[in-house]
Amino acid sequence: MDVRNEMLSLIRGRREGFSLPQPFYLDEAFHKLDMELIWYRDWLFAGHDCEIAKPGSFFTIQVGDYPVVVVRGRDGVIRAFHNSCRHRGSRVCNTERGTSARLVCPYHQWTYDLDGSLVFARQMADSFDKADFSLKPVACESVAGYIFICVAERPADFAPFRTLMEPYFAPHNLTGAKVAYESTIIEKGNWKLVWENNRECYHCAANHPELCKTFPEAPNVTGVNGADSDPEMQAHWAKCEAVGLPSRFRIDGEGQYRATRAPLLRDAVSYTTTGKRAVRKNLSEKVAADRIGALMLYHYPTTWNHVLVDHAVTFRVLPISATETAVTTKWLVHGDAVEGVDYDLKDLIHVWTETNDEDRRIVEENAFGIKSPAYEPGPYSELHEGGVIQFVDWYTRFMETRLVEGEKPALRNVA
């Protein structure tokens, strides 16, 4: 049985409401199919507009085998390109971020303008036409301060996600924010384990003392389990919408992305150990109400987010291998906020720095146990792990549909 048929057989034979069979978390061949059928086909959160605020500023991102560079052009437009020189394939930009008038390959100095066009190639034949060797584009969209990319030749329509997400996030003016701090940790576990852990707070009381001071453990907080019938959630949504902040739980028909706003515990207004604000300056001048809780966005497979009145915390998930995942966290504050005056950096990042490290340990212990020959799928809690069930259902449904297609996705050829 080839690996595609093996995966399809396991998906069709799995018990609903149970974790996945072992190969989904450990097997490199299964991981390769994840990359081909999800990561190389879907829109992925890459970073924020404010990270490349000026023309010529860029950042790089590695999506599986695909190095990508995201750059702001002289016309202000944000574009993405395969970070592979059209000469002999070397990476053009080999740093995480930077600013440059043009993109110059360090190997032979082939030089590209910020729109990807080749403007200089030293000592080539007279018949050589620079117009034939621009950097290959990657689909790129910017919405409400978030940049998404897709390496597929024919990306899915981005408009439905924009329509759902933009009204929720635009009031918070993340385009005018700045990244106060960024961290990347490597979790030694499959990317799906990272998401499964994120999608429930069943584990929070025993593992996240800092987060539990402000973030509710209630399973309906993220909207999957009965938020529509919860009086507290209904009241919170009504209060926030009365001041112009869309808040009600919304999810797309495929279950891939959703947004909602949830209250924090008691009088908390921010993710700090005291519940008090971490930043004196509001994230947006348009959002003045204090107790708006956390605006949450989930978009499989790359990102979850918490946007508060005073700052935002955004997360990006990128697989490295079947058993390693990079999780990048960014803390965003008002663009004019001054460290040491408007916020104390240690106070700003403490809760999620600790929570991230606790989650890393949880995921790694989970992955370690799954390696056991005695492992078999176990039942999720319908009360507390509805979010996990929803994620696994999304994943298996997407994979089954794409496996049945019987062909690999059409991807751009990278020179």
Side-chain angles (χ1 to χ4, degrees), residues 5-20:
N5 285 329
E6 180 185 358
M7 179 182 278
L8 188 58
S9 176
L10 287 174
I11 287 174
R12 288 175 169 172
R14 81 179 187 95
R15 295 179 67 179
E16 289 191 14
F18 277 62
S19 59
L20 295 167

Side-chain angles (χ1 to χ4, degrees), residues 23-56:
F24 287 93
Y25 301 118
L26 301 176
D27 190 271
E28 282 291 347
F30 274 44
H31 175 68
K32 185 177 179 181
L33 284 177
D34 280 359
M35 300 304 295
E36 290 177 354
L37 300 180
I38 291 182
W39 292 88
Y40 297 163
R41 289 184 63 162
D42 286 287
W43 288 99
L44 310 174
F45 169 57
H48 294 285
D49 298 42
C50 65
E51 297 180 66
I52 47 175
K54 298 178 180 179

Side-chain angles (χ1 to χ4, degrees), residues 24-274:
F24 287 93
Y25 301 118
L26 301 176
D27 190 271
E28 282 291 347
F30 274 44
H31 175 68
K32 185 177 179 181
L33 284 177
D34 280 359
M35 300 304 295
E36 290 177 354
L37 300 180
I38 291 182
W39 292 88
Y40 297 163
R41 289 184 63 162
D42 286 287
W43 288 99
L44 310 174
F45 169 57
H48 294 285
D49 298 42
C50 65
E51 297 180 66
I52 47 175
K54 298 178 180 179
S57 52
F58 68 87
F59 64 80
T60 57
I61 179 174
Q62 187 74 30
V63 181
D65 293 333
Y66 289 82
V68 175
V69 57
V70 182
V71 60
R72 188 181 289 271
R74 269 179 277 279
D75 55 3
V77 175
I78 296 172
R79 299 178 178 88
F81 302 98
H82 288 287
N83 189 12
S84 178
C85 184
R86 295 299 306 281
H87 177 212
R88 286 168 57 187
S90 178
R91 281 193 302 173
V92 177
C93 300
N94 55 15
T95 58
E96 287 187 9
R97 62 187 69 250
T99 302
S100 180
R102 288 176 171 171
L103 306 180
V104 182
C105 178
Y107 198 177
H108 299 96
Q109 285 73 57
W110 279 34
T111 303
Y112 302 88
D113 209 342
L114 301 179
D115 63 2
S117 59
L118 180 64
V119 295
F120 176 74
R122 188 165 56 92
Q123 298 178 358
M124 298 298 289
D126 292 342
S127 60
F128 178 76
D129 187 349
K130 294 192 296 291
D132 293 335
F133 296 94
S134 299
L135 289 175
K136 293 191 173 183
V138 170
C140 182
E141 295 280 356
S142 172
V143 54
Y146 286 74
I147 301 168
F148 282 78
I149 61 171
C150 179
V151 299
E153 182 68 36
R154 295 181 293 276
D157 186 6
F158 189 77
F161 173 68
R162 180 186 296 277
T163 299
L164 186 149
M165 178 268 202
E166 192 166 27
Y168 286 78
F169 284 79
H172 293 275
N173 191 32
L174 293 182
T175 56
K178 68 177 180 181
V179 177
Y181 191 76
E182 174 180 342
S183 75
T184 296
I185 60 175
I186 307 301
E187 301 189 10
K188 295 178 181 178
N190 186 272
W191 69 274
K192 294 185 291 297
L193 290 180
V194 173
W195 267 109
E196 288 189 40
N197 177 64
N198 170 266
R199 295 306 304 116
E200 49 90 356
C201 216
Y202 195 21
H203 69 279
C204 288
N207 294 278
H208 296 319
E210 299 84 6
L211 185 62
C212 284
K213 292 179 185 296
T214 55
F215 187 76
E217 292 179 82
N220 62 3
V221 165
T222 58
V224 174
N225 283 44
D228 285 336
S229 59
D230 183 326
E232 183 181 1
M233 292 293 287
Q234 292 280 343
H236 185 72
W237 292 341
K239 180 186 72 173
C240 292
E241 291 182 349
V243 294
L245 299 176
S247 299
R248 295 181 186 278
F249 175 75
R250 288 189 63 196
I251 187 168
D252 84 299
E254 298 291 334
Q256 185 171 19
Y257 51 84
R258 59 195 177 281
T260 190
R261 201 179 299 270
L264 300 182
L265 291 175
R266 295 175 291 279
D267 295 326
V269 297
S270 192
Y271 290 135
T272 60
T273 54
T274 62

